[in-house]
Structure formats: structure tokens, C-alpha cells
Amino acid sequence: MSLLTIVQAVAEEQGLPTISDVSSNAPDAQLLRRLVNVECNALARRKDWSFLQEEHTFATVASTAAYSLPSDFLRLIQETVWNRSEYWQVRGATSPQRWQLYKSGLVTPTIRDRFRIKSTSGTNEFYLDPTPTSAENFVFEYISKNWGRTGGSTAADSVSANSDTVLFDEYLVERGVTWRWLSQKGFAYAEERAQYDTTYAQIAALDGGGRSPLDMASNPVYRPEAILPDGGYGQ
């Protein structure tokens, strides 16, 4: 799967001239290249895809409340923040109103950690409260913005060269680029959008192995079975 194969598939379907270089300044190549990036960025923000999930660990420093987020951080996966040194889950994300209540109001101090992601001089950082007084180990999981690969293996949040690849299903990206191209050109795209939505629902449902089947029985999924001998009963 590459940027070139995606662009060529859409171009062929729409009756466009063959595109041999997606990085060229040809109008069709420019537009389709741009729409692949638009579609993939939209997909990254639509679901917590398993292949975009990353884990980040860091150690606190005494008297330091703010910590840098990973360079590829897109958004936090909720309820994954833990203090591994104390073996407890960190409360949050705390709202701005409650954060100010804790920091500015008459609130009884707590030993339980809570967190908030907020901007400092235009850069988001991970804040802890109470401010750590020693080195402790923290962890959280997040969604990476790097859905693409350039130069063979370099993670990236955009693609532009023929051999660049995307982590999303190629057919899904093609369906998304198709309806977006038709929309850009002022053509009807309702049928193509419906096909895209159906494809998205199918692929999203299977991501990460799919959901466990619904079991209405009161017993757990694991049901131990009795081991009986082949014969000699009652001896």
C-alpha cells in the first residue's frame, strides 16, 4: 500500500489521466495527494485505532508539576493514566473549573494524584496535582498523530512521495478520497459517501480484533468441563 497506488486507483476510477508521480505539480496529482492527507487526518481523529495506540512512561521530578507530552501526541486514551509507583489510577482529566478549585480554593489536600492537560505558552503539557515531591513512575496511553510512513519507516502525519505509505486500510482511504474528490469538483457524491460510510463501519468494527460476542448467560465465558475416565466407573 502506497500513496501512489491509492492516487492511481482513484484516478483510474474517475477516468483521469494516469498519474505516475504524486509529488508533481500536475493539478490532479496535487488535489488527490492533498485529499489523501485530509482523509487520513480525519480518520485518525474519528476513532481510537489500535495501530495508532501508543504508551508513554515518565518519571516525576520533585517540585515539578508539568511534563512534556510525546512529540506525536494527538489525544489521550481516557482512564489509562496510572501512578505505577503507588499502583493507583490517576484521576482526570480534570476540568478547568475543578482544577482552579483545587489550586485556588480552600480544598483539603489529597494524596491521590489527578491530572490535566493544558497549554503553557502555546504548548500543551501534562500537569499533575498535587505537585510531586519525589520521583515516581507514571504511564498513560494515547493516540499518535503519525498515521503515515515516509522513507520506508519514518513515522509521519503527512505523506507526499510515491513510496510513502499509510497505516489505514487502503480501500477505505480510496473510498474516502473518491467522495471528497467528487465533492471538490462539484459532482454528486451521495452514493460514494454512503459506500464509504458502510466500508468505514465494517473496518472500524473489526479493528483490534473486533468486539467480544454478547453472552446473555450468567456464567463467565470460561466454563470448566469435567474430566471423566473412559471406563471403570464406581470402582
Side-chain angles (χ1 to χ4, degrees):
M1 176 186 354
S2 68
L3 176 59
L4 179 61
T5 59
I6 294 172
V7 167
Q8 287 180 332
V10 176
E12 181 180 1
E13 183 177 343
Q14 298 306 317
L16 301 176
T18 300
I19 297 174
S20 58
D21 185 6
V22 294
S23 62
S24 73
N25 292 325
D28 289 337
Q30 284 185 318
L31 178 57
L32 291 174
R33 182 177 70 238
R34 173 58 182 162
L35 291 179
V36 170
N37 283 276
V38 169
E39 172 61 23
C40 290
N41 277 305
L43 285 172
R45 287 159 174 77
R46 190 171 180 181
K47 182 185 184 301
D48 288 351
W49 301 96
S50 59
F51 48 84
L52 294 181
Q53 295 173 13
E54 301 287 348
E55 182 177 288
H56 177 64
T57 58
F58 64 96
T60 58
V61 177
S63 303
T64 301
Y67 298 87
S68 298
L69 294 168
S71 59
D72 63 332
F73 182 90
L74 180 60
R75 64 179 177 275
L76 185 76
I77 300 178
Q78 292 296 333
E79 299 184 3
T80 65
V81 186
W82 282 78
N83 181 329
R84 284 185 169 173
S85 296
E86 298 293 343
Y87 306 103
W88 61 41
Q89 190 174 25
V90 181
R91 296 171 177 170
T94 304
S95 68
Q97 294 79 11
R98 187 161 292 275
W99 186 263
Q100 287 304 319
L101 173 64
Y102 294 146
K103 308 302 285 187
S104 306
L106 296 174
V107 180
T108 302
T110 177
I111 61 172
R112 289 297 301 273
D113 302 302
R114 47 204 170 212
F115 76 93
R116 178 187 176 192
I117 295 176
K118 70 187 188 80
S119 175
T120 303
S121 301
T123 301
N124 279 342
E125 292 187 296
F126 187 93
Y127 279 79
L128 285 169
D129 179 71
T131 299
T133 58
S134 62
E136 293 182 326
N137 294 317
F138 283 75
V139 62
F140 62 78
E141 295 193 24
Y142 67 97
I143 297 299
S144 170
K145 66 181 180 180
N146 289 337
W147 47 261
R149 295 294 182 268
T150 63
S153 60
T154 303
D157 60 356
S158 65
V159 290
S160 60
N162 288 341
S163 60
D164 290 350
T165 59
V166 303
L167 299 182
F168 295 109
D169 181 90
E170 183 170 7
Y171 182 70
L172 174 61
V173 176
E174 289 173 6
R175 295 304 90 210
V177 173
T178 296
W179 79 259
R180 292 179 189 278
W181 184 86
L182 291 170
S183 175
Q184 284 280 333
K185 294 296 185 179
F187 299 139
Y189 62 89
E191 182 177 347
E192 288 76 10
R193 178 59 193 266
Q195 184 184 40
Y196 167 77
D197 289 339
T198 299
T199 302
Y200 171 85
Q202 293 170 340
I203 293 175
L206 296 175
D207 179 57
R211 295 186 177 183
S212 300
L214 180 63
D215 188 349
M216 302 299 291
S218 58
N219 295 326
V221 174
Y222 171 69
R223 300 180 179 90
E225 298 179 357
I227 300 177
L228 301 175
D230 294 331
Y233 300 106
Q235 294 183 355

